[in-house]
Amino acid sequence: NQELLRLQRDPNQWVMPTGNYANWRYSELNQINRDTVKNLRPSWQFSTGVLRGHEGGPLVIGDVMYVHTPFPNRVFALDLNNPGRALWRYEPSQDPSVIGVMCCDTVNRGPAYADGKIILSQADTTLVALDAKTGKELWKVRNGDPAKGETSTMAPMVFGDKVLVGISGGEYGVRGHVTAYNLRDGSQAWRAYSVGTDEDIKFDPQKTTHMGRPVGANSSISSWQGDQWKLGGGTTWGWFSYDPDLNLVYYGSGNPGTWNPTQRPGDNKWSMTIFARDANTGQARWVYQMTPHDEWDYDGVNEMILVDNLTVRGQRVAKALVHFDRNGFAYTINRENGQLLVAEKFDPAVNWASHVDMETGRPQVVREFSTRAGGEDKNVQNICPAALGTKDQQPAAFSPKTGMFYVPTNHVCMDYEPFRVSYTAGQPYVGATLSMYPPKGSDNLGNFIAWDAAAGKIVWSKPERFSVWSGALATAGDIVFYGTLEGHLKAVDKRDGKELFSYRTPSGIIGNVNTFSHRGKQYVAVLSGVGGWAGIGMAAGLTNDSEGLGAVGAYKSLSDYTQLGGVLTVFALPD
Ligand SMILES: O=C(O)c1cc(C(=O)O)c2c(n1)C(=O)C(=O)c1cc(C(=O)O)[nH]c1-2
């Protein structure tokens, strides 16, 4: 989209949830920097009136800030010339029964902006375009059916004249897809499934490649038993990135249907897969399946960060993609052709696989931590990472100034007991009982790390009491921001992770930090409002340790530090 290509270069604005098409979450602004950040103060705050987990962050277009909420998915257009005053408010009417089929809290990762429209993907899968000036509905379309467990939490993205959106419901046997709608009127342009026939998944058996080779005919269906692919999962609830020169969009697919691996033999393609698709047609150029035949719920949906000119073991790579997967491996890939360059653990605790075979691309699974090796109803213990991964949806930041990645991570292990389930539409299709805890010898559940994607190495690591469930922001001020589940907004030195600033906001932070400037002054904005999978105990009022798929027990003490409540805080330096 020409307008977005232009606007994403303007550091005064924040025009898409990911910062730019490459998912950098980086800003050239440097008024707030290593020396001045200690003076940062809240400038104004805004309560959203919604209690559950607030993911994503506000967009800033010109003089207007657009703030969204979890279900019921309110949107506020706030006037930056009169901070906190709403120019308009929008609240869709949605059947609240959708709340019951959202796996991991009622979160929403933010709307998209393009061509004078704000595009929101509601929990009930309605995609609605609003007039950015007035908040009036311009068009809306239904992308899925909550009665079958299809919901939405993700941020849509606009490419050219289309808006692309995915779907949630991997815990309900939903077959994932991404769908492009025409920005003009909401009519459907194309839809590509993660699993299914070559036509459904938009693969060309001869031209679409995996590890450099054509995938061949029926690559997905032949990797499933019988009709199981129809409940195959591979939902698409994470982030999109886009390379305008290659005209390719990148994203990952989630877990295969049912968490009980014994019930679904085969590689379960193309769940747990990175896709590179043509933005005009949806046709797949290349794919890479990170976790064939998943046994741990390591959804592959985390963001793909696009960087240029990396030198990996002496080889110059003009166009690379870096991805921190739930499975604990960080991948560096040639984004033109899908060639695997680096796959290394980004938490030393990761134990389910010894390494990734660089010839086949397959992780080498350690038998002791295979959840199917002992059959059903066997409790496999001390698997690291836990199902919520070494990193979940919380996005990392990239600084072109340092060439480093700044990654919010989880440091959590699990016991996993698979059991047999049968499918009923709209009912959980999980088939595993979990408990979660920190790795042996650790008492912290998270780390904030800096990562070198060419070498595949941690540069520094800063422990946090809880998982870092918020998205990072790197700036030209030589600092990196992130939020903690206790509710602190922190700024650290990009060189060594040394804490330079910490401020306690009213609730735990699972939102993504961003920055903008208005009338010559730099601001930093973040949503507080604890929740998400890590905070599901508090968000949904669950108290039994095994509830929330095992997250309730692990994060039990969170309520000693924070309480629910959505608040936007905007920070600035004193005049
Ligand atoms: O399979 C799915 O469709 C699906 C959807 C979502 C979601 O939409 O939020 C999550 C997950 N899976 C998931 O596995 C997960 O760890 C997770 C964490 C969160 C969150 O926002 O904290 N959502 C989701």
Side-chain angles (χ1 to χ4, degrees):
N1 182 282
Q2 291 307 321
E3 184 192 16
L4 288 176
L5 282 168
R6 181 168 51 79
L7 293 181
Q8 70 168 1
R9 281 193 290 271
D10 177 3
N12 299 315
Q13 315 191 49
W14 192 268
V15 295
M16 54 183 97
T18 56
N20 66 6
Y21 275 133
N23 278 237
W24 284 3
R25 300 176 184 279
Y26 171 79
S27 172
E28 288 292 348
L29 299 178
N30 62 7
Q31 227 171 55
I32 301 167
N33 58 41
R34 187 187 282 143
D35 299 324
T36 60
V37 69
K38 59 177 186 292
N39 301 321
L40 205 58
R41 297 284 177 277
S43 170
W44 55 278
Q45 292 187 303
F46 178 79
S47 170
T48 67
V50 180
L51 284 181
R52 290 182 68 161
H54 283 58
E55 289 184 356
L59 301 179
V60 175
I61 322 283
D63 288 342
V64 184
M65 173 185 271
Y66 299 92
V67 180
H68 71 286
T69 75
F71 182 92
N73 306 128
R74 290 181 185 151
V75 182
F76 300 92
L78 303 181
D79 183 358
L80 290 178
N81 294 319
N82 191 354
R85 174 166 177 263
L87 298 167
W88 54 259
R89 295 181 296 270
Y90 176 78
E91 181 170 329
S93 80
Q94 297 186 78
D95 184 341
S97 66
V98 69
I99 295 170
V101 286
M102 300 186 79
C103 77
C104 311
D105 200 4
T106 55
V107 295
N108 185 288
R109 300 190 189 86
Y113 166 83
D115 298 350
K117 300 184 174 86
I118 292 287
I119 300 121
L120 171 73
S121 180
Q122 301 173 194
D124 68 2
T125 80
T126 303
L127 188 72
V128 55
L130 307 173
D131 184 322
K133 283 224 162 63
T134 62
K136 291 228 158 49
E137 283 179 11
L138 299 173
W139 52 256
K140 57 180 168 185
V141 348
R142 252 336 239 281
N143 191 45
D145 181 1
K148 293 191 216 146
E150 292 171 341
T151 58
S152 184
T153 61
M154 63 115 51
M157 195 182 250
V158 173
F159 319 94
D161 56 358
K162 298 180 183 64
V163 50
L164 193 64
V165 68
I167 194 104
S168 299
E171 277 59 71
Y172 294 82
V174 168
R175 181 160 70 111
H177 52 70
V178 294
T179 311
Y181 294 95
N182 292 306
L183 188 56
R184 188 170 33 87
D185 59 3
S187 58
Q188 188 173 313
W190 53 262
R191 167 170 287 181
Y193 286 86
S194 305
V195 300
T197 62
D198 292 341
E199 197 187 336
D200 278 3
I201 64 178
K202 294 196 175 287
F203 275 34
D204 179 325
Q206 268 75 52
K207 290 202 189 122
T208 305
T209 62
H210 182 253
M211 294 297 291
R213 289 189 201 85
V215 288
N218 283 321
S219 60
S220 171
I221 288 183
S222 64
S223 70
W224 292 86
Q225 199 169 67
D227 271 356
Q228 287 183 342
W229 60 271
K230 291 184 177 163
L231 308 172
T235 48
T236 47
W237 56 275
W239 302 98
F240 292 125
S241 48
Y242 174 60
D243 181 325
D245 299 325
L246 300 173
N247 197 33
L248 291 177
V249 29
Y250 302 92
Y251 66 94
S253 60
N255 61 287
T258 160
W259 291 19
N260 172 7
T262 305
Q263 233 175 302
R264 46 164 172 78
D267 275 355
N268 311 131
K269 290 172 180 166
W270 295 97
S271 64
M272 309 307 214
T273 296
I274 300 175
F275 290 82
R277 292 189 185 274
D278 183 285
N280 292 347
T281 63
Q283 201 70 24
R285 178 79 52 87
W286 60 261
V287 285
Y288 170 58
Q289 189 180 40
M290 293 169 285
T291 313
H293 184 67
D294 170 63
E295 308 176 42
W296 311 268
D297 187 43
Y298 295 152
D299 294 44
V301 304
N302 295 350
E303 75 286 0
M304 313 291 160
I305 306 177
L306 312 185
V307 296
D308 294 343
N309 301 321
L310 278 189
T311 304
V312 181
R313 283 184 295 276
Q315 183 195 342
R316 185 172 163 278
V317 186
K319 284 178 171 282
L321 172 159
V322 175
H323 169 75
F324 299 90
D325 197 58
R326 283 258 284 269
N327 73 13
F329 287 87
Y331 297 87
T332 306
I333 291 174
N334 181 329
R335 73 174 183 270
E336 295 188 67
N337 56 21
Q339 184 197 356
L340 185 60
L341 303 167
V342 177
E344 295 292 340
K345 296 176 180 178
F346 63 103
D347 179 355
V350 174
N351 65 11
W352 69 280
S354 58
H355 64 285
V356 173
D357 180 313
M358 298 302 283
E359 289 304 310
T360 61
R362 292 185 83 92
Q364 302 301 297
V365 176
V366 174
R367 196 180 153 82
E368 184 188 349
F369 302 116
S370 161
T371 70
R372 73 167 298 173
E376 290 169 340
D377 305 319
K378 165 135 200 299
N379 191 20
V380 183
Q381 299 182 333
N382 292 315
I383 307 166
C384 310
L388 35 71
T390 303
K391 189 176 95 55
D392 203 292
Q393 55 73 38
Q394 60 270 42
F398 167 73
S399 165
K401 227 178 143 182
T402 61
M404 294 292 145
F405 295 78
Y406 302 95
V407 195
T409 73
N410 309 324
H411 187 57
V412 189
C413 303
M414 67 175 167
D415 299 347
Y416 191 109
E417 186 170 322
F419 62 86
R420 190 147 286 259
V421 278
S422 56
Y423 175 78
T424 308
Q427 295 297 317
Y429 188 52
V430 176
T433 311
L434 277 68
S435 61
M436 299 183 193
Y437 41 82
K440 288 253 147 61
S442 295
D443 51 18
N444 57 311
L445 288 166
N447 294 295
F448 189 74
I449 69 166
W451 178 258
D452 177 338
K457 288 205 162 57
I458 296 172
V459 180
W460 49 256
S461 178
K462 176 173 160 33
E464 285 290 348
R465 180 180 289 113
F466 297 108
S467 297
V468 185
W469 212 262
S470 87
L473 168 75
T475 77
D478 297 326
I479 48 180
V480 187
F481 290 91
Y482 65 94
T484 69
L485 275 176
E486 297 101 309
H488 295 98
L489 176 73
K490 293 190 176 184
V492 299
D493 191 319
K494 68 172 187 183
R495 291 174 300 196
D496 51 14
K498 188 171 164 259
E499 200 167 298
L500 302 173
F501 169 80
S502 173
Y503 178 87
R504 196 168 169 77
T505 69
S507 180
I509 300 180
I510 62 169
N512 305 328
V513 191
N514 70 14
T515 188
F516 61 96
S517 92
H518 184 65
R519 294 180 174 164
K521 196 175 174 85
Q522 184 183 356
Y523 295 88
V524 169
V526 71
L527 279 169
S528 315
V530 76
W533 191 1
I536 191 68
M538 296 185 71
L542 309 173
T543 50
N544 187 326
D545 282 5
S546 66
E547 284 182 297
L549 298 162
V552 173
Y555 299 90
K556 197 161 222 158
S557 64
L558 196 49
S559 58
D560 295 342
Y561 296 89
T562 193
Q563 295 298 319
L564 301 179
V567 172
L568 173 82
T569 307
V570 180
F571 296 83
L573 295 171
D575 285 323

